[in-house]
Amino acid sequence: MSHIVAIAGSTAEQSKSTDLLKRILAQVEAYGFSTQLLSVRDIPAQELIYGAGKDSPHLNHVTGQIERAAGVIVASPVYKASYSGALKAFLDLLPQKSLAEKIVLPIMTAGSSKHLLAIDYALKPVLTALGATHVLNGFFVSDDLIQRDPYGLLSLDDEAEARLREQVRALVFAAGLPAPQKDYEPTEY
Ligand SMILES: Cc1cc2nc3c(=O)[nH]c(=O)nc-3n(C[C@H](O)[C@H](O)[C@H](O)COP(=O)(O)O)c2cc1C
């Protein structure tokens, strides 16, 4: 499995956390992975709120992508000291252990660094509830460290960029390790 998916948890049309994910996926692709960006906006509000049936093409697309992925990046803005409500509604639609055996990278953007720990006390527990056992440290960045150029392209200050690249490397190396074959016998020397 050399596929990595990203889940964007912001409902904003022009979203810092989603644009950050797009940059991360470009970095991941440079390591040879195929990628897919998923978003809470991919699922109609009606299905997010009232539930999506098993025949929902939107939900089937999302679950199919997650199933074939070795790694899942989950990004959310901090809203009211936690991850977004839309992300919770999205995650609630997924099968119980959807993140089992996936390498998971949590990402959060926020108005200020005061809510730095939201990634640990809010986002990581729900990822664990979805079966994730390999959750990376994650990446948190406040808005003042994010810039947009006149064309709308997003960049980070140097320190934040270095932290992000370290997490991306951790993701791709963990996701890229080949699974041992069932009948594998170690060579004896
Ligand atoms: C409804 C709402 C609630 C927010 N609550 C917080 C908060 O509690 N703490 C914080 O640091 N930033 C808060 N913010 C700021 C966002 O987390 C921040 O601007 C983030 O980068 C937005 O990401 P997005 O553009 O992907 O939606 C809030 C923004 C909105 C719209």
Side-chain angles (χ1 to χ4, degrees), residues 40 47-49 83-94:
V40 295
E47 293 187 17
L48 277 182
I49 293 171
Y83 56 89
S84 74
L87 179 61
K88 183 67 165 72
F90 180 100
L91 296 177
D92 285 348
L93 295 176
L94 301 181

Side-chain angles (χ1 to χ4, degrees), residues 3-185:
H3 190 58
I4 288 186
V5 302
I7 300 172
S10 176
T11 50
E13 199 164 0
Q14 202 193 36
S15 155
K16 293 191 182 80
S17 54
T18 307
D19 288 349
L20 189 57
L21 274 184
K22 290 177 186 164
R23 284 189 73 228
I24 294 170
L25 290 183
Q27 292 171 358
V28 164
E29 283 166 15
Y31 283 95
F33 286 83
S34 61
T35 68
Q36 177 72 50
L37 177 65
L38 306 170
S39 166
V40 295
R41 293 168 62 100
D42 293 343
I43 305 223
Q46 182 86 5
E47 293 187 17
L48 277 182
I49 293 171
Y50 296 112
K54 283 198 179 342
D55 54 353
S56 160
H58 313 284
L59 185 58
N60 286 338
H61 170 67
V62 164
T63 54
Q65 284 291 324
I66 294 174
E67 262 170 35
R68 61 180 279 249
V72 180
I73 310 166
V74 181
S76 177
V78 173
Y79 283 174
K80 307 281 193 285
S82 186
Y83 56 89
S84 74
L87 179 61
K88 183 67 165 72
F90 180 100
L91 296 177
D92 285 348
L93 295 176
L94 301 181
Q96 187 62 37
K97 294 294 171 193
S98 291
L99 297 182
E101 293 167 39
K102 314 285 178 197
I103 312 300
V104 180
L105 173 59
I107 304 274
M108 284 189 117
T109 64
S112 90
S113 56
K114 283 184 197 150
H115 286 133
L116 167 70
L117 293 178
I119 204 163
D120 291 317
Y121 69 68
L123 187 51
K124 285 185 183 174
V126 74
L127 304 176
T128 305
L130 282 162
T133 53
H134 193 154
V135 182
L136 298 168
N137 287 346
F139 176 73
F140 176 99
V141 65
S142 51
D143 288 350
D144 57 320
L145 302 181
I146 303 175
Q147 300 91 35
R148 270 190 201 281
D149 72 14
Y151 302 100
L153 291 176
L154 183 146
S155 63
L156 300 174
D157 94 327
D158 290 348
E159 176 275 334
E161 182 67 39
R163 279 192 292 117
L164 176 59
R165 282 182 185 270
E166 190 188 312
Q167 287 299 298
V168 171
R169 270 198 297 275
L171 171 70
V172 295
F173 285 117
L177 288 176
Q181 303 294 311
K182 261 193 185 141
D183 52 357
Y184 171 76
E185 294 282 349

